[in-house]
Amino acid sequence: MIHHLPTKEHVRYFRQESWQWDYLHRGRCTTSQTAAALGFLEPKAAEFLGIPRSLQRGGGGAWERLREDLMKSDGEDSLSEMERILCEGRVVGAVRLDASVFGKWRPGSKETERLWISAEELQRNRKLQNKNNGRTLGNDKARSFPFMAKYNLKIKQDELNERKISLQRQRANSMSSPMRARMQWGNAQEATSILTALNYFCSMDERTTIHEIGMCGAGFDDADQDLLNGLKIGASPDALICHGNGTVEVLEVKNHCPFVWNNRHPKQKGKRTSMHKHHGNCQGRDRSSNQPKGRQYMIRDFELECKIPPMYIPQLMMEMLCVGDSVDLDNLTNSSLTNSNPICTSAVMVRQTATKGAILLRLYRDESWITEMKYWLGKFKSKYVNTSIIPPDNFFWNKVGSDGDRYQKFLQHTKELSESVEQVGFIPHGKIQRVMLEN
């Protein structure tokens, strides 16, 4: 429980998915809205960047978010206001953000169990057991555990059945769609991808740690603030990687959903791909049986590329910007996060598949790109948000005048960054820790 905020940036200690974290999004340009506010998801810019149609959308959602009420953000009043709302749960308008509304969390049996055993401890225990039994194993049989830790927590059969029933109810009450499947897959696999990063980097340096993080950037203030025209920003990385040599990197994971709809007619001639097919619910009912119609899904083998899709460049750059110049906020000498050199100068993206392993990519911080991002976000704020004008289609796409040239160069720069990332490593499918191994 957080009772006090020494600085505005301390709000990053509120966990993601908490009500405080959700409240902090109000009126703030976070990574979920950045690409849209930059115009990257508009038809013409998206086509230039190679963003698929399924991921394109207008700037209306970002416009609505940024028009929401935002708590005061200047001076001591803003800090006291944040503390009053987020720590004390005081009345805000007609809504009471009291902890009693959300329930009180208490640690259960699972939280008090020992959740994991390190690979080193497993090895020591095995050697001790063999010694007590009077046995000596060869090097091949006494090999170390392949991952950094073995996780003890197991799901009980009744809990598994309860989850299945809950998911079946959700699916029955909603229309099946590729986008919904992607989102559910990404949410379910996020922890596995973070574990992939942990195993990889700790195998290189056992001092490496991965830290949970909430929303960064609430205390953002620098000399270029005028570029943003008063726009407040924020970012919630999936985690922070703290290497043994002191280097700090943003960690973002993307899980590529293996399920796609098979829209090909069974009698259609031509080359067919050999993929497994499964029946899923979609809108409509079978007239003969009055049962939901089934649409066939295919499981695709997603081929990984050594690139970060352009639509994710704003997310990673915003995260690096918002992390600031310190991870340990309690050791800051002042409340500003931008008076010294940034501590985070790179981001790692894990792109993980269901059947083809995972690739780890590194994107380096680019100050010139970040300056342009601030400029165009500030322009979106002044031209549309402040004037209550809904942004039209392709609102920044204009090849006439200096701004048109500037935007085209910004898009080109984004495309180049996407294709010039560093490949950190590749993890084969069999080396991904998806289940607990039994010895």
Side-chain angles (χ1 to χ4, degrees):
M1 183 70 70
I2 299 175
H3 300 285
H4 175 56
L5 296 176
T7 69
K8 289 182 287 185
E9 192 60 33
H10 275 73
V11 298
R12 68 169 64 179
Y13 291 139
F14 289 112
R15 301 185 71 176
Q16 293 189 32
E17 309 304 333
S18 66
W19 70 263
Q20 291 97 336
W21 177 81
D22 187 62
Y23 187 83
L24 284 165
H25 283 72
R26 295 178 58 178
R28 191 178 296 276
C29 185
T30 58
T31 52
S32 63
Q33 307 298 330
T34 303
L38 290 173
F40 284 10
L41 306 184
E42 298 295 323
K44 290 185 178 180
E47 182 181 3
F48 179 85
L49 294 172
I51 298 174
R53 286 190 178 182
S54 60
L55 299 177
Q56 296 177 23
R57 68 175 192 267
W63 178 77
E64 289 183 356
R65 159 76 73 79
L66 300 183
R67 293 178 72 244
E68 292 177 352
D69 292 335
L70 182 69
M71 64 179 75
K72 296 179 181 179
S73 57
D74 297 322
E76 292 299 324
D77 289 341
S78 67
L79 182 58
S80 60
E81 181 76 356
M82 280 186 173
E83 191 169 85
R84 184 181 71 84
I85 295 173
L86 301 176
C87 297
E88 301 176 19
R90 297 289 182 85
V91 175
V92 181
V95 181
R96 181 172 179 78
L97 302 176
D98 193 352
S100 61
V101 176
F102 303 92
K104 294 183 178 181
W105 178 85
R106 292 288 184 272
S109 59
K110 289 184 178 180
E111 286 75 19
T112 57
E113 292 177 7
R114 188 178 181 190
L115 301 183
W116 56 274
I117 304 175
S118 70
E120 289 184 359
E121 186 175 349
L122 284 172
Q123 188 74 352
R124 289 197 302 269
N125 292 343
R126 180 185 293 180
K127 289 181 179 179
L128 180 61
Q129 183 180 4
N130 291 333
K131 183 178 180 180
N132 293 337
N133 293 334
R135 292 183 298 175
T136 303
L137 295 180
N139 291 333
D140 57 334
K141 294 184 179 180
R143 63 183 178 83
S144 61
F145 190 71
F147 304 110
M148 294 308 298
K150 179 178 180 179
Y151 296 89
N152 300 324
L153 199 59
K154 295 181 179 180
I155 188 170
K156 297 179 181 179
Q157 187 61 46
D158 58 343
E159 292 177 321
L160 181 60
N161 293 337
E162 186 176 331
R163 287 190 186 184
K164 288 181 177 180
I165 293 173
S166 176
L167 288 173
Q168 288 170 352
R169 288 173 178 169
Q170 292 178 21
R171 186 174 61 185
N173 295 329
S174 62
M175 185 177 67
S176 180
S177 71
M179 183 56 68
R180 181 177 177 84
R182 290 173 188 168
M183 293 178 63
Q184 290 178 334
W185 178 266
N187 291 336
Q189 298 296 320
E190 180 176 313
T192 302
S193 297
I194 293 176
L195 185 58
T196 296
L198 185 147
N199 282 324
Y200 178 82
F201 287 110
C202 287
S203 68
M204 303 295 178
D205 183 353
E206 292 185 355
R207 299 173 299 169
T208 300
T209 54
I210 291 185
H211 297 254
E212 181 182 6
I213 192 73
M215 180 185 290
C216 305
F220 184 84
D221 183 21
D222 64 12
D224 291 331
Q225 188 70 16
D226 291 341
L227 287 175
L228 291 172
N229 291 318
L231 180 67
K232 303 306 173 185
I233 60 176
S236 302
D238 288 330
L240 292 181
I241 307 172
C242 297
H243 297 278
N245 62 3
T247 303
V248 176
E249 295 186 290
V250 162
L251 175 63
E252 193 65 34
V253 299
K254 300 297 178 185
N255 290 280
H256 298 283
C257 180
F259 305 115
V260 294
W261 272 356
N262 178 22
N263 293 320
R264 192 183 186 92
H265 193 277
K267 295 183 179 180
Q268 186 175 349
K269 296 181 180 180
K271 184 178 179 181
R272 296 181 61 84
T273 56
S274 55
M275 294 185 178
H276 299 288
K277 298 174 184 176
H278 302 266
H279 289 281
N281 291 337
C282 69
Q283 194 175 33
R285 306 187 75 82
D286 191 312
R287 292 181 181 178
S288 60
S289 61
N290 197 33
Q291 296 296 317
K293 293 180 180 179
R295 174 169 290 197
Q296 291 182 326
Y297 286 88
M298 297 193 303
I299 298 179
R300 62 174 180 172
D301 287 327
F302 191 94
E303 297 294 339
L304 288 167
E305 297 178 294
C306 185
K307 64 179 294 187
I308 293 177
M311 68 173 295
Y312 297 127
I313 299 297
Q315 179 181 13
L316 297 177
M317 289 294 183
M318 180 69 84
E319 288 174 352
M320 285 186 274
L321 173 64
C322 290
V323 166
D325 65 7
S326 179
V327 174
D328 186 359
L329 297 178
D330 294 325
N331 289 332
L332 281 176
T333 57
N334 54 61
S335 61
S336 173
L337 294 179
T338 55
N339 287 339
S340 61
N341 294 329
I343 193 173
C344 182
T345 59
S346 58
V348 171
M349 174 176 280
V350 178
R351 300 184 64 184
Q352 187 157 294
T353 68
T355 59
K356 294 292 186 179
I359 189 170
L360 283 72
L361 304 171
R362 178 174 284 120
L363 174 70
Y364 289 97
R365 178 171 174 143
D366 189 306
E367 297 297 343
S368 63
W369 193 95
I370 289 176
T371 298
E372 288 301 291
M373 175 183 71
K374 292 179 182 179
Y375 172 82
W376 291 107
L377 289 178
K379 195 172 185 66
F380 184 84
K381 174 80 159 52
S382 62
K383 190 172 182 178
Y384 300 113
V385 177
N386 292 349
T387 60
S388 298
I389 298 175
I390 300 176
D393 292 343
N394 304 305
F395 50 88
F396 283 150
W397 185 275
N398 181 3
K399 294 187 177 181
V400 179
S402 58
D403 255 4
D405 293 338
R406 184 171 182 172
Y407 189 66
Q408 295 297 317
K409 291 178 180 178
F410 183 46
L411 292 177
Q412 182 61 36
H413 191 181
T414 304
K415 200 171 185 179
E416 292 170 357
L417 288 174
S418 168
E419 298 170 353
S420 61
V421 296
E422 172 188 327
Q423 180 172 332
V424 179
F426 173 77
I427 314 298
H429 175 66
K431 298 293 184 179
I432 294 177
Q433 187 177 9
R434 298 186 185 274
V435 295
M436 185 173 64
L437 300 180
E438 297 293 343
N439 296 321

